[in-house]
Amino acid sequence: MPSALLDLILPPRCAGCGAPGALACSSCRAELLREPAPRPPDPPPRGLPDCWSATAYDGAARRMILACKERGRTALVPVLAAAVSACVAAWAAGRPAGGGVRPEVWLVPVPSARAASRRRGHDPVRAVAAAAARELCRRGRPAALAPLLRQGRRVADQAGLGSAERAVNLSGAFEVVPGPAARPRPSGRGPGAVAVVLVDDVVTTGTTLAEAARALRAAGAEPSAAVTIAATRRRRRIGDYHGQ
């Protein structure tokens, strides 16, 4: 039986700590929102935009992300989206608004592999980005889901790959969806401007976000930032080097 259905008929337990009473208890929600801050990978790949995350990829945050992503607990989407929207708000608060105008935020989800979406039965990153856009609007910041990217070719599973291997695996993997409706407006400030923000669940080496940024730039849109729910605590590996 799918986990999403079980969540409706069984007494809920927190996906972060297992405590009964709620799908995400107040303590684990607080952990997700603990400290929105810049958390770029070390070393960052060339082309990575300003990179923020809501928390570290461990503990309750890791368990909740995996429960939603891999075990179909889609009721967690609003919880994870709250972390993304808080992170976007924290990032935007540090940017000067030219002429007092706050640009609309376009949240661009990093596309999942088609095979992964079929296996999971949903696209968690897109769902989280859409919910985060709604949350930002409710809080008075203009925002919209902008699914501008798709996978242009197959890529191998990234698990276990270092930054150099990931860079090779992902090189040229993303492209902007064709058609005039998908063309991003110019980034910047002033009336009609948008702030293009990439969204993913976890940042590890940063190569996925850097490749997504490359694809946007190729279509004429400069991404202002990349935001994730969580960031891994990485240790440099032999073979990892700047620019990959």
Side-chain angles (χ1 to χ4, degrees):
M1 185 177 294
S3 296
L5 183 57
L6 288 174
D7 285 335
L8 294 175
I9 62 177
L10 294 178
R13 285 188 172 273
C14 177
C17 66
L23 188 59
C25 71
S26 58
S27 177
C28 290
R29 285 175 181 263
E31 183 172 331
L32 269 179
L33 302 171
R34 180 172 54 197
E35 191 184 355
R39 287 187 178 85
D42 180 22
R46 183 179 295 114
L48 180 70
D50 193 12
C51 188
W52 284 59
S53 61
T55 190
Y57 185 58
D58 55 20
R62 179 178 182 275
R63 288 188 288 271
M64 285 190 283
I65 290 169
L66 289 175
C68 179
K69 183 176 179 179
E70 303 296 348
R71 292 191 283 280
R73 301 189 73 177
T74 54
L76 286 165
V77 164
V79 178
L80 301 178
V84 169
S85 62
C87 206
V88 172
W91 162 78
R95 300 181 77 234
V101 176
R102 296 195 303 178
E104 181 183 12
V105 176
W106 278 17
L107 299 185
V108 181
V110 171
S112 298
R114 295 184 186 93
S117 293
R118 286 195 299 269
R119 173 174 54 81
R120 293 170 182 148
H122 67 126
D123 186 338
V125 173
R126 178 166 176 157
V128 166
R134 293 192 293 270
E135 176 68 17
L136 286 165
C137 288
R138 281 194 293 269
R139 293 177 177 272
R141 175 168 289 278
L145 175 70
L148 302 177
L149 297 175
R150 68 180 183 183
Q151 283 208 333
R153 62 170 180 80
R154 285 188 176 185
V155 297
D157 189 345
Q158 296 274 85
L161 300 181
S163 61
E165 297 163 315
R166 288 181 181 226
V168 172
N169 184 42
L170 285 167
S171 179
F174 298 146
E175 61 187 17
V176 168
V177 176
R183 290 174 190 160
R185 295 191 297 243
S187 300
R189 301 189 182 96
V194 300
V196 178
V197 177
L198 286 161
V199 177
D200 207 353
D201 54 353
V202 180
V203 59
T204 302
T205 66
T207 50
T208 300
L209 290 166
E211 164 57 19
R214 178 210 60 78
L216 288 174
R217 291 186 186 110
E222 179 63 36
S224 301
V227 167
T228 68
I229 303 163
T232 58
R233 292 189 170 106
R234 272 189 78 227
R235 294 179 179 176
R236 295 189 187 214
R237 292 173 35 170
I238 295 173
D240 286 355
Y241 58 93
H242 188 74
Q244 296 294 322

